[in-house]
Amino acid sequence: MTARLTRFDWHGYLRSLRFSLYTMRRPLDGFWDLIHEKRGSMAAAHTIVAIAVIVEILRLVLTNFQFINLNMEMFSAWWVLGQMVIPILLFSVANWCLTTLFDGKGKISHIYMGYAYAMVPQIIINAALVPISHVITYSEGAFHWMFTIIGYMWFVLLLLCAMKEIHDYSFSKSILTTILSLFAIGIMIFIFIMFFAVVSDGVAYFVSIAQEAIFRIRRG
């Protein structure tokens, strides 16, 4: 019984992972089925995000130096991980907070899955551009930048389609809430920085008081 359940889980996981190729070709139907027909899964979304991080690291490290300016002494895989994962989490929280005010139907997990599945075309294009960058010349670099831009535009289009189907919005409302989500992310980051600064100053103040007290006790 356990073996059958394990095989079933793996089959469902692989099927939901393959479904990402359908969402990139038919986004409106795909993202509706992803959430409402439960064709997607959090496990597949986590896998896509992990692959996106790995591909981004490989892109930065292996792309021909003619098309990327990277200081390897300052490079950190953990920094890349943060750059990839934190925006997804912030967007999921910000979009959910906003859409609850605008009759949105999606959950945070749905938004996270929609974001992850929308990354698939960009992942494929970035992975393909790494070896391509070593067989084209600098004068042919326009093709490299063109496909990079196509990857970003495809991602944005899929993300808007995902938000539309997840929340059952119109395209105009999806665009509006997505833009507002970006502003909300900026506010969240600002509040976090201010909170961190206040906490740091508070800790430094009490540390200085403790040091002063220890110094006076030793002198006394």
Side-chain angles (χ1 to χ4, degrees):
M1 185 69 179
T2 303
R4 290 182 179 179
L5 181 60
T6 302
R7 285 199 297 269
F8 173 79
D9 287 342
W10 273 104
H11 178 71
Y13 162 75
L14 294 175
R15 184 173 56 189
S16 61
L17 195 59
R18 287 196 303 269
F19 191 71
S20 63
L21 300 177
Y22 180 80
T23 59
M24 64 180 283
R25 292 183 290 108
R26 301 189 63 181
L28 295 179
D29 292 337
F31 283 111
W32 175 269
D33 292 343
L34 182 77
I35 303 302
H36 301 283
E37 300 296 331
K38 302 186 185 303
R39 300 287 297 275
S41 68
M42 288 296 290
H46 293 331
T47 302
I48 293 170
V49 173
I51 293 173
V53 173
I54 294 171
V55 169
E56 180 64 12
I57 292 173
L58 294 177
R59 185 186 73 84
L60 294 173
V61 174
L62 299 179
T63 298
N64 192 316
F65 69 92
Q66 296 181 98
F67 306 108
I68 194 167
N69 184 18
L70 177 66
N71 185 354
M72 289 303 299
E73 295 180 358
M74 302 294 295
F75 175 78
S76 171
W78 292 108
W79 176 254
V80 177
L81 177 65
Q83 284 184 316
M84 297 293 292
V85 174
I86 292 176
I88 301 175
L89 300 178
L90 289 178
F91 181 85
S92 300
V93 173
N95 187 263
W96 177 78
C97 291
L98 280 170
T99 53
T100 53
L101 302 176
F102 294 95
D103 300 322
K105 298 181 179 180
K107 302 177 182 178
I108 292 181
S109 59
H110 296 162
I111 299 169
Y112 174 84
M113 277 197 292
Y115 193 112
Y117 276 71
M119 297 171 68
V120 171
Q122 192 177 21
I123 294 172
I124 295 173
I125 290 175
N126 286 343
L129 286 177
V130 172
I132 291 175
S133 69
H134 292 275
V135 297
I136 61 176
T137 63
Y138 183 77
S139 60
E140 298 170 328
F143 293 101
H144 185 278
W145 305 123
M146 180 184 69
F147 280 104
T148 300
I149 293 172
I150 289 174
Y152 282 109
M153 293 178 63
W154 202 342
F155 161 71
V156 172
L157 177 61
L158 291 183
L159 183 63
L160 292 175
C161 291
M163 296 305 104
K164 177 183 182 300
E165 299 303 323
I166 289 171
H167 299 297
D168 197 16
Y169 282 169
S170 63
F171 256 117
S172 59
K173 198 171 183 179
S174 299
I175 294 172
L176 176 61
T177 54
T178 300
I179 293 174
L180 291 176
S181 297
L182 298 179
F183 281 107
I185 290 173
I187 294 172
M188 292 167 63
I189 293 174
F190 175 76
I191 292 174
F192 174 78
I193 293 174
M194 291 296 295
F195 175 77
F196 181 77
V198 170
V199 171
S200 298
D201 291 341
V203 171
Y205 174 75
F206 286 110
V207 168
S208 65
I209 291 178
Q211 290 176 339
E212 180 68 18
I214 293 172
F215 176 74
R216 290 181 179 273
I217 291 173
R218 288 179 176 177
R219 287 188 61 184

